[in-house]
Structures are given as structure tokens and as C-alpha cells.
Amino acid sequence: MPVELSPLGADRFDGWREDVKQRLIARSRESGMRAGDDAIDFAEAFLRDLLPQGPATSSAGLFVLVENSQELGALWLADSGGKLFLVDLGLSVDLDARQREELFSTIRRIAVQHEARLISVALFPQDAQAHALIAGRGFAVASIQMLLEPLPERRVAPHVVVSPMTAERFRRFAEHSEASYAEDLVAAGRYTADEAVIESRRQMRLELPEGIDTPGQELFTASVDGAEVGVLWLGLRRRDGRPHAFILDIEVAQDQRRRGYGRELMHAAEREARRMGAESIGLHVFGFNTGAIDLYESLGYRRVEETFLLNL
């Protein structure tokens, strides 16, 4: 008998939900993405937001994996905006290659039935079972969350001057950053062009409601011999109750690339993060930006979460 999906009974929902919560907490902490109570807060908010009506949430598909009357685990799928999200896979046994093939074929069939154009899954490095499920099936890395901790003591080259961005420069920066981020969302395969414009604008307004004067946000320009070579945007956040810096935007001017300025801007980000009182620094990078990924990893940043997409 093949691996089959059976709906999770409402009487089992509370126990299943607690299992998912504990799995999220453990993997968040193991990866370093979140630490301490942050992992608990994230797991609770995640489940509350994605399952507002509990087992009756219309976008959620909650299943038990069964083979020959034996339960193998549980699967959570969510359907939204033309995408099928593989939200959680909790297995009580390790699936063999045949079982993974049968399970994935069923997930793909569900995606087609829902007229989804993409299958999306966000995984921590420790999600060995889900990684095995999607391996070799055409998924591409769409985006990566990275972390560096503790902050190193690295110097910015003296000829690269990094200083606070002016209000005049900010107006041009905000327009360019919003448009560029929308283009990246499309290039990463995560949004259509119209969706990307809306999402980019939403995030810009969320992060900078007061523009350049928004508390906890610091923006810089980098120059060499008086000529601008790049920009940097840092946001101050909290991680396990301690200050944590996040690189929201970093860009070297098109005509100034391949001169080492990206590395100097990263050194500047770490310097400014220390000045802001942060003990760690994080960033997000799109999977297609392999040059940036190589730079970050050469500086010691490690992957703490990756989002994979399969275009159907």
C-alpha cells in the first residue's frame, strides 16, 4: 500500500499543535535564528496567525501520513495566493526513498488541484526529513536568512568613509530601494510583478514609518575620495532580549563594483552594529545573488533558514 494522507481529526488538533510548537521552538534555537524566549514567542505567533480558526482554518490542510494502517507522522499544507506552502512535516519514522516519492507526488497533486503555481517550503538546517523530501525535485533556493555571532572586531579601510545618510540622499535611496526590492522579489520567483510592488511598499512603510528619522533605523553612504560608492541600511532589533542588528539593505554602486567595497560595507555594518549595542547581526539574501552569498559566508555568516521554491 502507498503512503496516503488522511485528514487530521479535530479531536487530535490540540496535541498536534503542541507538537508543532515544540518543534518550531527547538529548531529555531538549534539554528540560532531565534534564542531563548524569542523562539517561544515566534512559535506561538506563527501558529496563531496561520491557524486563526484552529482546525477549521480554510487555508490549512492538516493530514496524518498512513501506510498499511501505520501512522508515519503528520503534514501541514497551506494554500494562499497561488502557492502551496509545506508548512510542517513531523515524522515518527524516517521515510525511505519510495515513501518520500509517494508523499511528494501526493503533495504535488494537491498543488495542481489548488491551481498553485509554486510549492514553497522554509526550512531550518536541522529539518533533515523535509530536506530529504524535496532533494532532487527541482526546488531552487529563493532566499536565505544568515547570522553572525559574536560580532568580530574588523576595521573599515581608511580610504572608505562611511557616514550618516542625509535627508536629501534618503529620498532618492527610498525610491530606489523600494523599486529594487520589488524587482528582486520577482527575480526570486516569490511574487508576480504586481504583488512584488505591493509587498515592497508594505515592507518599506513597516520599517521606516517616519522615514530617515524612524527610531532604531540607521542609514549610511560610503564614499571614496568624495565619490559615493555604496549605501547601507541597518535596523536595530531584539534577539533573546538583547540588541540585534539586521542589514536591511546594502548595495555597491553599479560602476564601483569588484573593488572590494562590498566587504568594506559589511565591515562598516559590523562596526555600526557594535556602536548600536548589538551582540549579533543578521541579514536576508536572495538565492540568485550568489556573489553576495559567497561574500557573507567568507565573512563567517551562516545560514539559519532557507526558503525553497518549486515552479509548477
Side-chain angles (χ1 to χ4, degrees):
M1 292 289 291
V3 175
E4 298 178 338
L5 299 184
S6 175
L8 181 79
D11 59 325
R12 300 181 57 178
F13 175 78
D14 289 344
W16 168 84
R17 186 184 189 280
E18 183 62 23
D19 287 344
V20 174
K21 175 182 172 181
Q22 294 306 319
R23 194 156 44 247
L24 280 172
I25 292 170
R27 289 176 180 168
S28 287
R29 288 173 173 170
E30 288 168 7
S31 76
M33 181 77 171
R34 301 167 191 88
D37 290 344
D38 288 359
I40 299 173
D41 295 341
F42 165 76
E44 291 176 342
F46 183 86
L47 288 161
R48 182 175 61 250
D49 293 345
L50 268 66
L51 294 168
Q53 283 82 48
T57 300
S58 60
S59 61
L62 310 179
F63 303 97
V64 176
L65 279 62
V66 180
E67 182 180 46
N68 296 326
S69 300
Q70 176 189 1
E71 290 193 6
L72 308 177
L75 174 69
W76 175 8
L77 301 175
D79 176 35
S80 177
K83 303 173 192 173
L84 185 73
F85 295 87
L86 199 169
V87 185
D88 182 76
L89 176 66
L91 297 174
S92 55
V93 299
D94 290 332
L95 302 185
D96 60 29
R98 174 191 59 79
Q99 291 170 321
R100 289 194 297 269
E101 177 65 33
E102 291 173 355
L103 173 57
F104 186 76
S105 294
T106 300
I107 293 171
R108 188 182 183 109
R109 185 166 60 252
I110 291 172
V112 171
Q113 290 171 350
H114 285 261
E115 299 183 344
R117 57 185 175 84
L118 296 169
I119 297 177
S120 175
V121 54
L123 299 179
F124 297 112
Q126 294 77 18
D127 290 344
Q129 294 167 331
H131 275 288
L133 177 65
I134 69 170
R137 305 194 193 279
F139 281 83
V141 179
S143 62
I144 307 169
Q145 296 284 347
M146 306 186 84
L147 175 74
L148 180 65
E149 182 184 33
L151 283 173
E153 293 279 350
R154 289 194 274 237
R155 296 181 181 275
V156 181
H159 68 289
V160 181
V161 179
V162 180
S163 38
M165 186 178 290
T166 65
E168 180 183 5
R169 178 66 179 88
F170 172 75
R171 286 190 289 273
R172 289 184 289 119
F173 163 79
E175 180 179 348
H176 173 76
S177 182
E178 185 175 310
S180 179
Y181 186 63
E183 292 173 1
D184 286 347
L185 288 173
V186 175
R190 296 172 62 180
Y191 293 86
T192 65
D194 290 341
E195 292 169 344
V197 169
I198 294 170
E199 177 62 14
S200 183
R201 183 175 299 123
R202 182 191 71 81
Q203 292 202 30
M204 181 66 76
R205 303 300 181 269
L206 178 66
E207 296 289 352
L208 293 170
E210 299 176 39
I212 198 170
D213 297 319
T214 302
Q217 305 282 358
E218 300 209 14
L219 298 103
F220 306 88
T221 54
S223 61
V224 174
D225 296 330
E228 183 177 308
V229 300
V231 293
L232 171 66
W233 173 13
L234 283 178
L236 189 62
R237 301 181 176 178
R238 307 292 292 181
R239 181 169 170 267
D240 194 23
R242 302 189 300 273
H244 170 70
F246 196 86
I247 300 174
L248 288 149
D249 198 0
I250 183 169
E251 184 176 5
V252 176
Q254 186 74 35
D255 61 349
Q256 299 290 340
R257 294 177 181 173
R258 300 188 182 279
R259 301 183 185 183
Y261 296 143
R263 185 174 295 271
E264 297 303 328
L265 275 169
M266 291 299 294
H267 292 174
E270 294 160 9
R271 179 190 69 190
E272 298 301 328
R274 288 195 303 273
R275 178 186 57 78
M276 296 163 73
E279 302 176 13
S280 56
I281 189 168
L283 59 84
H284 164 275
V285 60
F286 289 104
F288 63 79
N289 196 349
T290 55
I293 295 168
D294 290 344
L295 170 62
Y296 303 149
E297 292 186 327
S298 76
L299 290 168
Y301 288 73
R302 59 187 181 84
R303 306 180 189 211
V304 292
E305 187 180 46
E306 295 175 284
T307 297
F308 297 85
L309 290 180
L310 176 65
N311 193 324
L312 298 176

